[in-house]
Amino acid sequence: MRRPSELVAAGLVAPEREAAIAAVVERFAVAITPDMAELIERGDDSDPIARQFVPDAREMETRPEEDRDPIGDRRLSPLKGIVHRYPDRVLLKPSHVCPVYCRFCFRREQVGPGGESLTAAELEAALDYIRARPAIWEVIVTGGDPFLLSPRRLAAIVGALDAIPHLGVIRFHTRVPVAAPRLVGPALVRALRAEKAVYVAIHANHARELTPAAGAACRRLARAGIPLLGQSVLLKGVNDDAATLEALFRGLAAMRVKPYYLHHPDLARGTASFRPTLDEGRALMRQLRGRVSGICQPTYVLDLPGGYGKIPVGPCYATPRAPAGAWSIEDPDGRAHPYPPHSPDASD
Ligand code: SF4
């Protein structure tokens, strides 16, 4: 489903909103898979699944702090298809197509059906860039969504990366196991086979996305020996309360997906309605700390605008005190404790 008329016909957009939505669709790509459309409560614009995928007129409002390239990918791209932000890892972006287009997407100006995928020659040049730099230890294959590539193309990329001696890890970032889980079939899983460690990071933001079909897709990947990580975005009106986050992270962990990052939303154009404040995000992380075990705790991170990297911005529970080496540590109920416990100047 990509066109306003299709969204209206499917009952996802009220007919009187069609004209406003048309302007949004002109500017930013729209796609909703049948799996995700099925989850949306019709007639409820505040439905957390609808919020993520159904276009909204507020996307036409751009705030001064918002940017077409909010995390500086362009500045850090030495050639097409590569983003090189940290010395030991690069992003490899073979395609710009996604199964769904998230309304808060940080790469919304680059992804979409008209987005430029790499030609065979461009992909080879990107691989040569990686081959020529022994400091690169990890390649993150992203996009767009690399799991929309044909298994044949995916296997060729995995094979080429697997043959680069200095790489330790090949990581895929994908929304497919949740948004179109039936695509994770035997051919796709076979395409991920490698001697090197292959990780798959799965993007999900609400426990309702974790359907039995998504669970089966994760099982197929896990049974092939692939470690699974969860990537989520903290989104107003979708998951910005402790109970919703708790259900999401418990659900992911129970599907063998370790919650890895909770991203603070980036300053992409037209996404202000999704952004909580950092204070709100930190307060939520504090609430989660006492409620769920470590395997359900992601790191709350902010990608600094301008391309300066991902920074943990969660609450801090340790405060230095005098004398040197003494600390005050906060427990899950908010009580401060001196550490070490018998330090004479830290016991009051
Ligand atoms: S799946 Fe990822 S890249 Fe694609 S629209 Fe959503 S956030 Fe953006």
Side-chain angles (χ1 to χ4, degrees), residues 37-326:
E38 208 174 280
L39 295 179
I40 293 173
E41 200 69 52
R42 297 326 194 243
D44 177 7
D45 293 344
S46 67
D47 177 87
I49 313 298
R51 280 274 290 146
Q52 293 184 68
F53 305 121
V54 176
D56 185 300
R58 285 174 291 179
E59 293 175 54
M60 298 303 286
E61 298 158 16
T62 301
R63 297 271 178 93
E65 66 275 22
E66 292 178 341
D67 197 278
R68 286 170 184 269
D69 182 19
I71 64 168
D73 279 355
R74 285 207 185 99
R75 187 172 71 77
L76 296 161
S77 178
L79 78 166
K80 195 170 167 190
I82 293 279
V83 177
H84 199 168
R85 198 183 317 274
Y86 307 97
D88 75 327
R89 73 209 95 131
V90 292
L91 304 186
L92 172 62
K93 303 194 288 180
S95 135
H96 286 83
V97 183
C98 296
V100 282
Y101 291 104
C102 311
R103 308 323 304 160
F104 50 85
C105 175
F106 66 123
R107 291 207 179 103
R108 59 191 333 213
E109 315 270 354
Q110 286 119 58
V111 296
E116 296 174 52
S117 296
L118 296 189
T119 63
E122 287 165 342
L123 177 60
E124 203 45 40
L127 291 168
D128 279 345
Y129 180 91
I130 298 167
R131 290 183 186 112
R133 285 166 179 77
I136 299 174
W137 175 80
E138 181 177 11
V139 173
I140 297 145
V141 189
T142 179
D145 197 314
F147 276 16
L148 287 187
L149 296 171
S150 70
R152 187 184 55 76
R153 225 171 147 216
L154 204 53
I157 292 173
V158 171
L161 294 173
D162 203 24
I164 300 175
H166 54 264
L167 292 185
V169 166
I170 304 165
R171 185 184 350 151
F172 286 88
H173 280 193
T174 178
R175 195 76 148 122
V176 163
V178 161
R182 285 159 196 88
L183 292 182
V184 186
L188 187 147
V189 174
R190 258 197 316 276
L192 301 176
R193 269 196 209 141
E195 288 299 314
K196 295 189 192 297
V198 173
Y199 282 67
V200 172
I202 298 169
H203 175 179
N205 301 317
H206 195 280
R208 272 175 46 208
E209 294 167 52
L210 311 179
T211 59
C218 291
R219 232 174 3 256
R220 287 192 283 278
L221 292 165
R223 283 185 180 150
I226 297 171
L228 304 176
L229 303 170
Q231 296 222 94
S232 305
V233 187
L234 180 61
L235 298 165
K236 253 191 183 168
V238 174
N239 59 18
D240 61 333
D241 66 88
T244 303
L245 287 175
E246 177 180 342
L248 170 65
F249 298 140
R250 284 191 197 281
L252 284 169
M255 279 175 31
R256 303 173 174 81
V257 181
K258 164 76 185 93
Y260 172 47
Y261 280 145
L262 176 65
H263 295 267
H264 191 78
D266 296 310
L267 295 168
R269 288 199 307 163
T271 60
S273 74
F274 286 106
R275 276 195 303 279
T277 63
L278 269 177
D279 283 334
E280 287 164 344
R282 287 164 63 92
L284 284 167
M285 289 306 290
R286 228 170 232 286
Q287 289 176 51
L288 276 184
R289 201 170 136 257
R291 291 168 76 132
V292 294
S293 80
I295 61 164
C296 300
Q297 300 266 4
T299 305
Y300 178 41
V301 290
L302 169 73
D303 250 301
L304 271 175
Y308 299 101
K310 222 175 245 76
I311 312 296
V313 289
C316 177
Y317 302 100
T319 311
R321 312 179 40 144

